[in-house]
Amino acid sequence: MRITRDLGRSHAWSLHEAVLDDGRRVFVKQGADFAAEAAGLRWLAEPGAVAVPEVVEADGDRLVLEWIDPGSAAADAAERFGRELAALHAAGAKEFGAPWPGTIAELPMDNAPAPDWASFYVSRRVLPFVRLARDRGALSPGDVALVEEACAYAPEVAGPPEPASRIHGDLWSGNLLWSGGRVVLVDPAAHGGHRETDLAMLALFGAPHLNTILGAYREAAPLADGWRGRVPLHQLHPLAVHVCLYGEAYRGSLLTAASEVLAL
C-alpha cells in the first residue's frame, strides 16, 4: 500500500488516501484502535440494506476502507436513503447493545446489553458522558442534576416499546457520504438501539434533504405517535458527547434538550 495524499486529522488520528498493490484506491485512518468502527461497518453491511464502505483491513492502529468518491446531495438519493435506513432498522438486533466494546470519536462507549431501551440509553449512553463532562469541568453539579432528572423521566416518555433496531448510532450529516446517487454511511457507533435515535441525530446538525429522508422513511416504516416530541430525548447522548469533546459550547443545547424532555 502506498500513501498518495494526506487528508489531515480528525480527533486523535490521521487521514490519508492510498493505493493498494492491485491499484485500488483506499481511505486510511491511522492512530487509534478502530476495532469497534470496523465491527460496526461490517454489522451494518450484513443485511444489504444500506451502503457502507468495505473494510479492507483493520489491524492495530490502522483502518483501511474502500474509497468513496464524493458527490452532491440530491433529493432522489435522499428519498432512497430514507427507504434504505428503514430497511436497516428493520433488520434488527439481538438486544439493546452490541457484542463489542464501543467508541464514539475517541471516547470509549459501553455496549453491554440492557433489558430495555430506556435503561440502556440512560445507563450506557447519556449518564456516562454527562459525568465525564462534569469531571472535565464543562458541566456544573446543577447541570448534571438537570440531565439526571430528565433521564429518570425517560421511561415515561420513551414512547411505545419497540424491539432493538440495527442503528448507525452517530448519524449526523458529516457521516453521510453522497456518492453515485445514494448515501454511504461512515464512522458508525453501531449497536442495537432505538430507531428514533438515528432520526434525531440526522436532525441535530441538519442533514441535507432531511424532510425528504424522513418522508420516505415514514412511508416505509411509520413511526409511533409523538416521535417528533421525543427528538430532544434522543439528542441527549450526542449533545453530552459534544460537551465532553468540545466543552461549554454545547452546554446550553444539552440543558435545553433536558428541559424539553421534562416538559413532555
Side-chain angles (χ1 to χ4, degrees):
M1 183 173 67
R2 176 172 57 89
I3 300 293
T4 58
R5 183 163 54 122
D6 290 331
L7 301 174
R9 298 189 65 84
S10 177
H11 300 291
W13 45 85
S14 59
L15 310 175
H16 313 275
E17 181 182 352
V19 176
L20 299 179
D21 293 342
D22 62 9
R24 283 185 295 165
R25 295 166 69 199
V26 290
F27 177 73
V28 181
K29 301 171 76 169
Q30 290 182 307
D33 182 351
F34 298 107
E37 182 175 344
L41 286 170
R42 289 167 173 149
W43 187 64
L44 294 178
E46 282 179 3
V50 297
V52 298
E54 175 193 355
V55 178
V56 178
E57 176 189 323
D59 184 23
D61 68 347
R62 185 171 74 182
L63 178 66
V64 182
L65 302 175
E66 169 192 6
W67 180 268
I68 304 297
D69 283 317
S72 58
D76 57 347
E79 183 176 352
R80 178 178 179 177
F81 174 56
R83 296 192 300 268
E84 291 177 340
L85 185 62
L88 174 70
H89 291 164
K94 292 181 180 179
E95 56 198 352
F96 293 104
W100 56 81
T103 58
I104 189 163
E106 67 263 31
L107 302 175
M109 191 159 59
D110 187 357
N111 277 340
D116 59 80
W117 176 76
S119 60
F120 173 84
Y121 185 66
V122 167
S123 65
R124 309 285 194 265
R125 290 297 180 262
V126 183
L127 292 182
F129 293 97
V130 167
R131 290 163 183 167
L132 177 60
R134 175 201 59 199
D135 294 345
R136 292 184 171 186
L139 292 177
S140 71
D143 297 337
V144 174
L146 176 64
V147 181
E148 288 177 337
E149 185 180 1
C151 286
Y153 193 41
E156 298 183 39
V157 296
E162 293 195 4
S165 292
R166 188 172 301 225
I167 73 169
H168 179 282
D170 191 14
L171 201 59
W172 73 288
S173 58
N175 288 340
L176 310 182
L177 299 185
W178 301 78
S179 178
R182 68 188 307 192
V183 171
V184 181
L185 302 185
V186 298
D187 294 343
H191 63 281
H194 199 301
R195 60 196 181 116
E196 290 178 12
T197 296
D198 273 352
L199 303 182
M201 193 65 180
L202 285 171
L204 185 57
F205 299 115
H209 303 291
L210 178 60
N211 288 336
T212 300
I213 295 170
L214 294 177
Y217 183 100
R218 293 174 65 199
E219 285 183 7
L223 295 163
D225 289 347
W227 68 273
R228 290 188 185 276
R230 292 188 290 274
V231 167
L233 173 63
H234 290 271
Q235 290 179 344
L236 289 176
H237 170 236
L239 288 170
V241 170
H242 274 69
V243 176
C244 291
L245 293 173
Y246 305 113
E248 293 187 7
Y250 288 92
R251 171 181 172 271
S253 297
L254 173 63
L255 300 183
T256 296
S259 296
E260 290 174 346
V261 170
L262 291 169
L264 290 175

